[in-house]
Amino acid sequence: MSRYLTASKVGLLALISLYGDSVVPTAAIVPLLSFVVPFLLPQALARGSPSCKNGKFSADSLSDVQEATIGHASGIPGRTLWDLFLKKLWEINSFDQLHVFFSSLSLLLANSLDEEQKVTDEERMSVTSRLRFSRSSPFGVFLRRAQLEFTRLQWHDSITLWNRFVLYRNPTLSAWKRRNQGHGKASFDVNLGEPRIDGQEGFRLILYRDIMEAGHGQVGNSTEDIEKLLEFQRDRMQATGIRVTEDMQRRLTKMIGAETNIPALSHYVNFLDAWKSGDYPSSFDNLHRFYDYTMHNRDRTSYQYALLNLAILQKDFSCLSEAITAMHEAISAARENKDLGCLNFSLSWLHHLSKAYPTEIDEIQSSGVLGHDREALGFMKAKAKESGMWGLLSTAFLSEARLGLVNGESVSTALENITKASYVSLVKNVPATVASELRMHSSVFSRLGASCIAWSLDELLLECHFEHFPAEERLHAIALKGRYGTALEKMESLDPDILRTLKHRIHWRTCMDLLKLQHALHRDDLTAADHVLSQLQLSPPLDRETAFPIMVLEVNIQVRRQNYSNAIMLLEKHAKILQAEEADILFRISLMTLKAQIYHQAGISQKAFSIAIRAASLAYEAQLLPALWQAVEVLCQVLNSLEEFDGALKLLRAIMPQVLECENCELAARALSALADTHVGIAGQMLDGSIKQNEHMTKGLGFLEMSFEEFSRGNNIRGQRETLAKKATILHLSGDLVLANDCAARCLAILRTADDEISV
């Protein structure tokens, strides 16, 4: 395999030589340069070019070159640029002419200062109209490197390049013959024109069997091309966490497998693929193999990165003590080698690890590596500014915003930090953090009760920033949005390539089980709920955001069975865990609200009242509006049970517009049901048959109907039955027996439908 030169690069050299011959008219210069230049620029700059943005052209196929040149006339009448390009290609009609072609590239380069001083006046006067490129220009650099790489080629590699160039050019034989009738099938090599020695036919078959028999074969790639492809795959896997597709794996194996000079980066791509697939032995082996190669060539400069990757690998396979040890060694090595990039990333990763596993990683705080959260984030921001690591600086601002939200601090401060992160990303062009910024914005608006804005941001992420959106975040955005049927449909239609990664598949399976568990509780199918819960408890959740819903649903199962003592014990156990981990204040407030609801259902209203008041107070201080509305809704239920209907009515009227804005079906249905109970309770305190009593009863029926609609939107069968039962009772007490019987019939129909679904 050639290190740099390929047949397609010879084609690009022919195009540049054609441009240097001054036969390209003014109107065709810009289109020709727009096609050629992106292949000569570095990868990061080439992505911004029009041809790369359109994804339209490729130099590896002559059909794309034809499309870019055939529509433009040349300086020679009756000939297009495509005709002149074919002439350039077919003038290289032997291996010797290939050497001549590379030697003639020097004529396209401008003289150096020393050469310019030696040029005589007569030579200056005899300068032709041929263009000369500066040696430091993109064209000049490409020409000089092509010449140098061709000179370095061994004999076997030179012959391979010639054969591949013949295969690359062979599809244009028919087009070339239309202009040159004397050329035949063997015209690709002038030495095969007429037999002059015995055994020449056998010589042809030995050298050009594929071309003489089939006319096609493998054009081949250079080592640099394969390394660029591997770098692209590495960047994509690191950015999105998705494995290489099976088709791409087969292509890479086919491209690399037959070559003796295998790029070391292929071992790293194999490591990432094995790691994402959950193959611990293969990932460990490939990681060691890759860094054995790199450290052999670069001494110890890659040692800290080997330790960094090893720590991340150990963490994903739940070997936390080994991960911490490896990360501490990586930090020490980065300090020793003065590698600020690796040092900052290691400290940032260690900080996030300490927040994800607070109880398991107490030694991080005791070791003094990080210190307190604020100190660690301040240190990372300072070092990121010094070293110009703008992505890390943006991530540090986002981490500070998240820390403030978790601790219940000011929302305005969190928004300020998110704005700073967005500013850094915009000014310093860091697109990889845009998805995280929008996700954090969505979280803030969700905590403020603006669910419409939060969902719009999630839709924006999924539609516009999909490639920079980590797969775990995609699963969260899909699973937590919308109703059960919509969420389940989107989860099942997820890209199969995402689910080939073990971590993502576990996360996807957990989200699916959570949806099914919630749906089973809504149908009051406790047997199915127990089965799904046992599946969820078999494998521990990957993060606290996934573990918390499992905690709540486990407690709800005990509440549905009216095992209030077991439910309180489970809730106290989970609350102690969250308190020890200094978990998100939203989780702690939600558990307090659930605890108040359990005490209310158990008939201990005074204790439920005090807990609901505390939960509402904490939610108000932390500006967690949905949690505040939930706490107030439970508080109103308690007030209804204490026959404090006037206070409950004032509270419910105050929060109802904001509750409906949250677009939470369950919360809105419960609040409307509580409002109906309040009106019915007020009616019960009035004189029978009075106008005010009838007015409150009518309002109660209206709110019950609205509550039924909200329960129907959330597929909550139990809530629908309870609402219809309340409505039938009110109608029966009002003397409207016909409507009461209709409500009872609807309730029985819903119950039968749910039983049929359970039996199926």
Side-chain angles (χ1 to χ4, degrees):
M1 181 188 293
S2 171
R3 180 169 53 183
Y4 179 74
L5 287 175
T6 59
S8 60
K9 285 189 173 66
V10 177
L12 284 177
L13 289 170
L15 274 177
I16 295 173
S17 176
L18 183 66
Y19 176 66
D21 289 341
S22 299
V23 294
V24 181
T26 304
I29 289 178
V30 172
L32 182 65
L33 294 181
S34 298
F35 174 75
V36 175
V37 170
F39 301 107
L40 311 182
L41 295 177
Q43 189 174 3
L45 295 176
R47 286 175 183 168
S49 64
S51 61
C52 286
K53 283 182 179 179
N54 297 334
K56 188 176 181 181
F57 294 123
S58 169
D60 294 334
S61 174
L62 279 175
S63 61
D64 294 330
V65 181
Q66 179 182 7
E67 186 178 348
T69 56
I70 198 170
H72 302 285
S74 68
I76 300 176
R79 294 289 188 271
T80 63
L81 292 181
W82 171 247
D83 296 329
L84 298 185
F85 174 69
L86 287 182
K87 183 180 178 183
K88 280 282 183 183
L89 290 183
W90 286 95
E91 282 178 350
I92 308 174
N93 54 10
S94 66
F95 184 51
D96 178 66
Q97 283 298 317
L98 185 65
H99 283 76
V100 173
F101 173 75
F102 275 95
S103 300
S104 65
L105 296 179
S106 301
L107 301 177
L108 296 172
L109 296 172
N111 294 328
S112 62
L113 292 177
D114 294 337
E115 293 173 345
E116 190 65 28
Q117 292 175 357
K118 297 178 182 179
V119 175
T120 63
D121 294 337
E122 295 180 358
E123 291 176 343
R124 288 194 180 94
M125 294 296 294
S126 63
V127 172
T128 63
S129 60
R130 169 173 284 213
L131 295 177
R132 285 178 173 264
F133 304 108
S134 170
R135 292 176 176 267
S136 59
S137 67
F139 280 2
V141 171
F142 179 61
L143 292 171
R144 289 164 58 202
R145 184 173 181 186
Q147 268 193 318
L148 177 63
E149 294 292 343
F150 186 77
T151 306
R152 286 178 172 178
L153 287 178
Q154 300 293 326
W155 169 259
H156 173 74
D157 294 331
S158 300
I159 292 295
T160 302
L161 176 63
W162 164 247
N163 288 334
R164 288 177 174 175
F165 173 71
V166 171
L167 291 169
Y168 171 76
R169 183 186 57 183
N170 200 53
T172 64
L173 177 61
S174 59
W176 176 244
K177 286 174 65 177
R178 283 197 297 268
R179 293 282 186 177
N180 302 269
Q181 299 295 331
H183 287 74
K185 188 177 180 180
S187 59
F188 56 84
D189 192 338
V190 71
N191 297 307
L192 302 179
E194 295 182 2
R196 292 183 294 271
I197 58 174
D198 295 336
Q200 190 163 359
E201 290 299 326
F203 181 69
R204 291 183 187 180
L205 291 176
I206 293 174
L207 289 180
Y208 304 111
R209 179 182 297 273
D210 291 339
I211 302 171
M212 297 295 291
E213 294 181 356
H216 57 82
Q218 292 291 332
V219 175
N221 299 278
S222 65
T223 304
E224 185 191 55
D225 294 336
I226 293 178
E227 286 181 348
K228 286 182 178 179
L229 180 60
L230 291 172
E231 287 175 2
F232 173 78
Q233 295 294 340
R234 178 200 62 191
D235 294 342
R236 292 291 298 165
M237 293 176 73
Q238 289 178 336
T240 62
I242 300 175
R243 294 175 60 193
V244 179
T245 62
E246 294 181 355
D247 180 57
M248 181 55 68
Q249 280 183 334
R250 287 193 296 268
R251 290 170 182 257
L252 286 173
T253 304
K254 187 177 181 180
M255 293 167 64
I256 300 173
E259 303 293 342
T260 56
N261 186 18
I262 300 176
L265 191 59
S266 65
H267 300 303
Y268 190 77
V269 173
N270 291 334
F271 151 69
L272 291 175
D273 189 69
W275 169 26
K276 299 301 180 182
S277 67
D279 187 354
Y280 178 77
S282 297
S283 58
F284 200 79
D285 181 60
N286 281 297
L287 180 64
H288 278 271
R289 189 175 300 172
F290 170 69
Y291 281 105
D292 284 344
Y293 279 104
T294 54
M295 290 180 65
H296 177 72
N297 296 329
R298 308 175 192 172
D299 297 329
R300 291 176 60 85
T301 55
S302 297
Y303 182 58
Q304 60 268 26
Y305 292 100
L307 292 168
L308 178 62
N309 280 277
L310 180 61
I312 298 174
L313 175 66
Q314 299 283 17
K315 176 259 176 185
D316 272 6
F317 286 98
S318 301
C319 303
L320 295 180
S321 58
E322 292 85 350
I324 295 168
T325 302
M327 189 57 72
H328 283 183
E329 292 184 15
I331 292 173
S332 301
R335 284 173 174 167
E336 180 183 348
N337 295 324
K338 298 181 180 180
D339 189 343
L340 291 179
C342 182
L343 177 61
N344 291 341
F345 184 85
S346 301
L347 291 174
S348 175
W349 185 87
L350 203 57
H351 169 74
H352 288 292
L353 187 69
S354 66
K355 301 306 294 181
Y357 301 94
T359 55
E360 294 89 341
I361 315 179
D362 292 336
E363 59 266 29
I364 292 180
Q365 297 291 344
S366 60
S367 65
V369 175
L370 287 178
H372 296 291
D373 293 330
R374 298 293 182 188
E375 296 174 359
L377 290 173
F379 176 79
M380 282 188 288
K381 287 192 292 185
K383 292 300 180 182
K385 287 181 182 178
E386 291 178 8
S387 57
M389 298 182 65
W390 307 116
L392 180 61
L393 179 60
S394 179
T395 304
F397 280 124
L398 292 177
S399 299
E400 191 169 1
R402 181 176 179 80
L403 180 63
L405 291 176
V406 167
N407 293 334
E409 299 173 4
S410 173
V411 175
S412 59
T413 304
L415 286 172
E416 179 184 355
N417 285 316
I418 296 173
T419 305
K420 289 180 181 178
S422 302
Y423 176 78
V424 172
S425 301
L426 181 63
V427 173
K428 301 301 180 180
N429 191 23
V430 188
T433 60
V434 173
S436 300
E437 292 158 13
L438 289 176
R439 185 70 176 136
M440 187 63 70
H441 267 295
S442 173
S443 177
V444 172
F445 284 117
S446 178
R447 287 167 177 258
L448 292 175
S451 299
C452 183
I453 301 177
W455 288 4
S456 298
L457 289 172
D458 286 340
E459 288 289 344
L460 180 65
L461 280 170
L462 294 172
E463 294 294 334
C464 302
H465 299 278
F466 190 80
E467 61 181 26
H468 297 300
F469 201 16
E472 302 96 299
E473 298 293 336
R474 296 180 211 169
L475 293 174
H476 270 300
I478 293 173
L480 300 181
K481 181 185 183 304
R483 294 182 283 277
Y484 169 78
T486 306
L488 192 64
E489 181 181 350
K490 287 189 175 183
M491 291 288 286
E492 289 178 344
S493 62
L494 208 62
D495 186 0
D497 288 333
I498 295 179
L499 302 182
R500 291 180 64 243
T501 301
L502 178 64
K503 183 178 179 181
H504 299 164
R505 186 161 191 84
I506 294 174
H507 205 95
W508 175 82
R509 184 72 263 170
T510 303
C511 291
M512 289 286 288
D513 287 342
L514 280 173
L515 289 171
K516 292 178 180 178
L517 178 56
Q518 184 69 55
H519 188 56
L521 286 176
H522 283 171
R523 292 181 302 165
D524 214 13
D525 186 3
L526 298 181
T527 304
D530 284 334
H531 177 68
V532 177
L533 180 62
S534 63
Q535 289 182 336
L536 284 170
Q537 292 175 337
L538 287 176
S539 58
L542 299 175
D543 53 29
R544 181 55 63 195
E545 291 185 2
T546 309
F548 179 73
I550 299 176
M551 294 179 182
V552 174
L553 293 172
E554 184 181 6
V555 174
N556 280 332
I557 290 176
Q558 298 298 325
V559 174
R560 290 292 175 87
R561 289 197 168 94
Q562 298 184 353
N563 295 331
Y564 298 120
S565 58
N566 292 340
I568 290 294
M569 289 175 59
L570 275 174
L571 195 144
E572 292 288 350
K573 173 186 173 184
H574 296 322
K576 288 180 181 178
I577 294 174
L578 294 179
Q579 187 69 30
E581 294 179 352
E582 297 182 356
D584 193 341
I585 191 172
L586 176 62
F587 297 160
R588 287 178 274 170
I589 293 174
S590 298
L591 286 187
M592 290 178 65
T593 305
L594 180 59
K595 187 176 182 180
Q597 189 172 5
I598 295 172
Y599 277 120
H600 165 64
Q601 294 183 11
I604 312 176
S605 300
Q606 291 82 2
K607 197 164 187 177
F609 179 82
S610 62
I611 296 174
I613 287 289
R614 277 192 292 152
S617 176
L618 288 174
Y620 179 77
E621 292 177 1
Q623 298 180 359
L624 298 173
L625 300 187
L628 175 60
W629 311 145
Q630 289 177 358
V632 171
E633 183 267 327
V634 174
L635 179 61
C636 291
Q637 290 184 13
V638 175
L639 290 175
N640 284 336
S641 66
L642 297 174
E643 298 185 358
E644 296 290 340
F645 300 114
D646 291 334
L649 182 61
K650 291 179 182 179
L651 286 174
L652 287 170
R653 281 179 175 176
I655 70 169
M656 191 54 65
Q658 289 81 5
V659 168
L660 296 177
E661 285 181 2
C662 289
E663 299 188 19
N664 187 329
C665 304
E666 191 72 17
L667 175 60
R670 292 201 310 266
L672 289 168
S673 179
L675 189 56
D677 293 343
T678 303
H679 280 287
V680 174
I682 293 174
Q685 295 177 344
M686 295 180 176
L687 295 175
D688 293 338
S690 63
I691 297 176
K692 286 290 185 180
Q693 185 186 50
N694 293 332
E695 181 181 344
H696 282 289
M697 294 289 281
T698 303
K699 287 183 179 180
L701 288 173
F703 287 125
L704 283 175
E705 185 62 32
M706 294 172 63
S707 176
F708 177 81
E709 293 176 359
E710 292 295 332
F711 278 128
S712 300
R713 287 178 58 196
N715 294 327
N716 192 333
I717 306 298
R718 180 186 177 91
Q720 294 177 48
R721 285 165 35 210
E722 291 178 352
T723 304
L724 288 175
K726 288 181 181 180
K727 191 174 180 181
T729 303
I730 295 173
L731 291 171
H732 182 76
L733 293 175
S734 301
D736 196 343
L737 300 180
V738 177
L739 291 179
N741 291 332
D742 289 341
C743 288
R746 289 171 62 189
C747 183
L748 292 174
I750 291 174
L751 183 60
R752 281 195 298 269
T753 303
D755 291 338
D756 293 339
E757 290 180 0
I758 292 173
S759 61
V760 171

